[in-house]
Amino acid sequence: WCLIEATNMHSGTLSVVSLVVVLGVFVVPTTALQLYCEPRNCYDVLNVQQDATTSEISKAYRKLARTLHPDRNKADDAAEQFQLLATAYETLKDDGERKDYDYFLEHPEEVMRNMFRYYRRHVPQLPVTPIVIGVILIISIVQYSSQNTKHTSVLRQAVNQHDLRAKAKAMAKEENSKAWRSASNQRKAEMLDEIVLSQLNLGGDLAPASIYNTLAFQIIALPRTLYYYLLWWGNWVYRINYLGQEYTDEDKHYLLCKNFGMSEGKFENIKERDPTWAQRAWDAECWIKANQEAFVQAEEAKFKSSGRYKRYQKWVKKNS
């Protein structure tokens, strides 16, 4: 009901009603939630019938207000009595809220919908702009932090790989054998770390975190991005569709990435890990969709006939 009712709200504001309702239902016990004049009936508080007119409701309120006002009412709960009277009047004098209250009386079992109708009118609404900006900034911070964690994790794993450290040790001995022999064990470990890291060229999904890849920066740079995209698209249409020119290597690379459904950065990352796969895809002319589909099928068949796949099947069968 929160989603249904929210669609009827003013387009220029964003309500926090849904959050309040969820917190009310799941955090606060239902018996502790009191809407409108609960546990009293607003009509009974004003001593009027449910079909009373607005004029009759106002007249009844003024009459009772003279009696129940704390300046005249000396009861210990005078303030509470007058507050209840004011609540009843505020509820029934407004046609929209009175309609919601009548629905509340007729359908007490619809707790969620009644709560939403009530808090929609009593919880302040927030402007959209600062909320959208805040959400974008939060997403951007999460993006940056996640990429930084991923990159740092890969670096940590790399410096601890035995084969990479062995290669680094050989390079250190070859390039500066004297410094290597005279260095302490701690310094040698630091030298190996530096060499391993210097040899790494992480790109794509494993590249260092950058604000340029966050949502906030991409939104700011959107006009510039659209401008260059339209230039590129116009150039593509003119060269390929109008003049009928052959694909350049850059065009082929773009189409190849597109056919495999991956970004250029991800393709470059795969190319670094398995250069032979990238070369096979290029030799198979996978920038042509039909060739790419045939290449994928051939690679799958090759994998299924390999010993690695057979070992995997045995493992699945054993553990299923």
Side-chain angles (χ1 to χ4, degrees):
W1 286 116
C2 292
L3 295 175
I4 295 173
E5 294 288 351
T7 57
N8 298 322
M9 303 191 69
H10 194 278
S11 59
T13 56
L14 181 65
S15 176
V16 293
V17 175
S18 298
L19 177 61
V20 172
V21 172
V22 169
L23 291 176
V25 171
F26 295 105
V27 178
V28 183
T30 305
T31 55
L33 295 171
Q34 293 187 346
L35 309 181
Y36 304 105
C37 302
E38 284 189 312
R40 297 282 303 279
N41 183 302
C42 290
Y43 291 102
D44 292 342
V45 171
L46 290 170
N47 292 329
V48 296
Q49 298 296 319
Q50 191 165 345
D51 58 353
T53 63
T54 304
S55 177
E56 291 173 338
I57 290 172
S58 298
K59 183 178 180 181
Y61 169 72
R62 288 193 295 270
K63 179 180 178 181
L64 290 171
R66 287 192 291 268
T67 304
L68 297 178
H69 194 279
D71 291 343
R72 297 187 178 184
N73 185 6
K74 303 304 179 183
D76 294 337
D77 61 343
E80 288 77 8
Q81 291 182 31
F82 189 77
Q83 180 61 44
L84 179 63
L85 178 67
T87 300
Y89 178 63
E90 292 295 327
T91 300
L92 300 181
K93 75 172 185 178
D94 180 81
D95 291 339
E97 188 158 7
R98 182 178 179 180
K99 182 179 179 181
D100 289 345
Y101 181 66
D102 289 341
Y103 189 92
F104 167 78
L105 294 178
E106 296 169 6
H107 304 278
E109 73 284 355
E110 297 184 13
V111 178
M112 288 289 289
R113 183 167 189 172
N114 287 325
M115 286 179 62
F116 187 90
R117 285 171 171 251
Y118 175 81
Y119 286 113
R120 180 182 60 181
R121 297 181 181 278
H122 294 82
V123 173
Q125 295 178 342
L126 304 176
V128 170
T129 303
I131 293 180
V132 171
I133 293 175
V135 170
I136 291 173
L137 290 177
I138 291 173
I139 293 175
S140 300
I141 292 172
V142 171
Q143 285 179 318
Y144 186 91
S145 176
S146 175
Q147 184 63 27
N148 185 62
T149 301
K150 185 188 299 184
H151 179 73
T152 304
S153 176
V154 172
L155 293 180
R156 192 180 300 114
Q157 294 175 16
V159 297
N160 292 321
Q161 285 188 11
H162 178 73
D163 56 340
L164 292 179
R165 295 189 75 82
K167 292 179 181 178
K169 185 176 182 180
M171 292 176 62
K173 289 181 177 180
E174 181 181 350
E175 293 176 1
N176 197 341
S177 58
K178 184 177 180 181
W180 175 261
R181 287 194 303 269
S182 62
S184 64
N185 290 335
Q186 181 178 354
R187 177 53 187 158
K188 286 180 179 179
E190 294 175 353
M191 290 172 65
L192 292 181
D193 290 347
E194 292 171 1
I195 294 174
V196 169
L197 294 178
S198 67
Q199 296 300 310
L200 292 177
N201 184 23
L202 299 178
D205 295 340
L206 301 179
S210 172
I211 61 171
Y212 300 113
N213 296 326
T214 61
L215 178 62
F217 186 85
Q218 290 173 359
I219 291 176
I220 294 173
L222 183 60
R224 179 179 180 274
T225 303
L226 288 175
Y227 171 74
Y228 282 106
Y229 173 77
L230 291 175
L231 285 180
W232 172 87
W233 180 79
N235 179 267
W236 179 282
V237 171
Y238 178 73
R239 289 188 302 105
I240 307 300
N241 296 349
Y242 182 72
L243 297 180
Q245 295 180 359
E246 296 291 333
Y247 292 134
T248 64
D249 288 348
E250 184 179 347
D251 298 335
K252 293 175 182 178
H253 180 72
Y254 163 75
L255 291 173
L256 191 147
C257 293
K258 180 181 178 183
N259 289 340
F260 279 105
M262 61 180 67
S263 65
E264 184 177 350
K266 186 174 183 179
F267 180 82
E268 292 299 325
N269 190 30
I270 294 175
K271 185 177 178 180
E272 283 187 18
R273 296 202 309 265
D274 188 2
T276 59
W277 179 91
Q279 188 60 47
R280 292 198 306 273
W282 185 268
D283 294 340
E285 299 184 353
C286 288
W287 54 85
I288 301 173
K289 187 63 178 176
N291 293 349
Q292 184 266 341
E293 293 174 350
F295 175 80
V296 170
Q297 293 175 359
E299 290 290 307
E300 289 179 353
K302 181 180 177 180
F303 174 70
K304 289 180 179 179
S305 63
S306 66
R308 181 181 174 188
Y309 181 72
K310 292 177 182 178
R311 289 193 298 271
Y312 170 72
Q313 283 185 315
K314 290 180 181 179
W315 182 85
V316 171
K317 186 176 181 180
K318 181 180 179 180
N319 293 276
S320 60

